[in-house]
Amino acid sequence: EKPAAEDVHLFLAKFFGGLPPASKTLKGGSAGGGEGDLEDFTPKVFCGQAINLPMAKGEVVWYCRCGYSQNQPYCDGQHRDLNAQYGVKIFPAKYEAAEDGVVRFCGCRKSDRAPLCDYSHLQCTEAERALRVPLTFEYEPWVVTHRTQLTHDSVAVTLRKQAGSGLPVASTFHFSIRNEGSGKARPYTPIAYDDVEGTATFVIKAIPDGAVSPYLNEVAVNAVVPMKGPSPGEYHYTAAESGLTYVLLAGGSGITPIYQVMAAVAAKPQGNTVHFAYSNKTAGDVLIEKELRDVVAALEGQGCLGSQAFAISRAPDDADLSPPFRRGRIDRALVEEMVHGAALPRVRAIICGTPGFNKAMYEACKGVGVAKEHVIFC
């Protein structure tokens, strides 16, 4: 990537002036204000390049410091869930343009002059460098082609647009979907995506008072839904990921990115082992059960399934829960069973659920010795 002329001095200073590689973990108060120990939180690398944004003099951007916003480089409130998850305080940073022109915002969250890019992304890993911003920053119309009721509060919705995302199929990824009524948007991970046909299928569980899920739960066939993406997710399965033990922990509708990882490993095992646990209130709340059974069978066929568990927290006393179903929640004891016998430096824990679920799973993983840098939230 060729540096902009006005930033050549920064480029030279960084890469020829003996400065150490940029790799930062946010500390309390450094994310735009507030207090809190952010020792355990590392900002997400959203993309391995600068995000170029045309701005007018005096225009203000509230820059996403956590890296989880689905409307980069703008903050979209995702840091609130992270605050609940980690028990910390993370805030966006205000940037005001001094003149008309294109501003290069940091996409890797490693810049020493954030929110602006200082080419730290050139020192990112190969996988991080491969991440790119969405093909469009604008919401586009997608048409609902199919709608299937799955449970009392969950539906499968298929939408279609023009083809051609160019997204690597082994990546976790998601789309940002907007509720036209409220104007609010949330990220959703598809269980199926056809880049050629331009279709994406989502499983939507209605959350009471949710910003988008109640709207999607009731959307009709032929309705037009504003959607943006796909955007890269939090984990990217590459040829370098070999000989690892995956601990995949999902809660409720958080199953979709976990399913993507399972499918990627099943397609190309590379000597990896998968331990999978999925938590729900009742057996009737389990989503994409057929797809999960199919991918579990594929993992078994490849000889890379370590264990599986469907944890049911509110099962009736007389419920017949035969394996892989079990009564209770995913807890530290279950996670300890999953990592038993594995070399802890080779364990990768991938978690997706509510902020409360994520926090509990994070503590469980740390409690059994999984390194914090090897715990990934999808």
Side-chain angles (χ1 to χ4, degrees):
E1 181 176 340
K2 184 178 180 180
E6 65 271 22
D7 287 338
V8 166
H9 64 290
L10 290 169
F11 180 83
L12 294 175
K14 192 165 194 67
F15 296 104
F16 298 99
L19 295 179
S23 180
K24 296 194 288 187
T25 297
L26 289 180
K27 304 296 181 183
S30 69
E35 299 178 354
D37 181 11
L38 302 188
E39 196 72 40
D40 289 337
F41 178 76
T42 300
K44 172 189 170 185
V45 177
F46 180 80
C47 63
Q49 64 184 85
I51 302 174
N52 297 321
L53 185 69
M55 293 186 68
K57 181 179 179 179
E59 185 178 352
V60 171
V61 164
W62 286 95
Y63 171 76
C64 166
R65 294 297 298 272
C66 67
Y68 284 80
S69 170
Q70 299 309 301
N71 192 28
Q72 296 286 341
Y74 307 97
C75 170
D76 70 354
Q78 296 289 332
H79 61 277
R80 297 188 187 99
D81 283 348
L82 296 170
N83 288 343
Q85 222 162 266
Y86 288 93
V88 296
K89 294 181 180 179
I90 307 168
F91 302 101
K94 181 180 178 180
Y95 177 84
E96 182 173 351
E99 58 186 5
D100 295 346
V102 176
V103 177
R104 292 170 52 82
F105 286 98
C106 171
C108 68
R109 300 309 186 278
K110 298 182 181 183
S111 171
D112 289 320
R113 63 175 196 133
L116 302 180
C117 171
D118 70 351
Y119 298 96
S120 288
H121 58 271
L122 297 183
Q123 294 176 303
C124 286
T125 65
E126 182 180 349
E128 291 171 340
R129 289 291 309 280
L131 298 178
R132 289 293 180 261
V133 296
L135 296 186
T136 175
F137 282 112
E138 302 299 326
Y139 283 92
E140 298 179 304
W142 289 61
V143 177
V144 178
T145 60
H146 297 86
R147 180 186 184 279
T148 304
Q149 194 75 37
L150 301 178
T151 68
H152 68 284
D153 62 354
S154 302
V155 297
V157 178
T158 300
L159 303 98
R160 179 189 296 275
K161 69 171 286 288
Q162 69 266 27
S165 76
L167 191 76
V169 295
S171 301
T172 57
F173 60 94
H174 42 241
F175 290 82
S176 179
I177 304 178
R178 187 174 66 196
N179 181 342
E180 280 285 68
S182 66
K184 295 181 179 179
R186 291 292 183 269
Y188 286 92
T189 302
I191 60 166
Y193 178 59
D194 189 326
D195 181 45
V196 175
E197 296 295 326
T199 61
T201 300
F202 301 86
V203 171
I204 308 297
K205 185 178 180 68
I207 306 299
D209 301 321
V212 177
S213 62
Y215 156 71
L216 290 177
N217 203 260
E218 298 179 359
V219 72
V221 172
N222 294 324
V224 176
V225 174
M227 197 156 76
K228 176 173 64 176
S231 299
E234 286 65 51
Y235 190 74
H236 303 272
Y237 188 70
T238 68
E241 308 300 295
S242 60
L244 299 177
T245 296
Y246 285 96
V247 174
L248 307 180
L249 306 171
S253 57
I255 187 59
T256 47
I258 298 300
Y259 170 76
Q260 284 184 346
V261 176
M262 295 171 72
V265 177
K268 196 172 184 180
Q270 301 176 166
N272 296 313
T273 301
V274 171
H275 294 269
F276 159 68
Y278 181 24
S279 179
N280 283 281
K281 294 178 181 177
T282 72
D285 291 323
V286 174
L287 300 176
I288 60 170
E289 186 172 355
K290 178 185 181 301
E291 288 82 359
L292 288 172
R293 292 191 183 278
D294 288 345
V295 77
V296 163
L299 290 167
E300 288 178 323
Q302 296 279 18
C304 55
L305 180 69
S307 65
Q308 60 171 316
F310 288 77
I312 306 301
S313 63
R314 298 184 184 177
D317 292 339
D318 58 351
D320 180 18
L321 296 179
S322 56
F325 285 83
R326 58 191 288 167
R327 194 182 305 276
R329 302 176 185 274
I330 303 173
D331 55 15
R332 176 172 168 169
L334 177 55
V335 175
E336 195 160 19
E337 289 178 23
M338 298 167 83
V339 303
H340 179 72
L344 287 174
R346 304 296 295 166
V347 172
R348 301 293 183 269
I350 304 179
I351 302 168
C352 190
T354 64
F357 175 87
N358 291 351
K359 184 176 182 179
M361 296 301 97
Y362 177 63
E363 294 299 330
C365 289
K366 283 208 309 177
V368 302
V370 180
K372 63 185 180 183
E373 62 267 22
H374 294 158
V375 179
I376 302 108
F377 296 100
C378 282

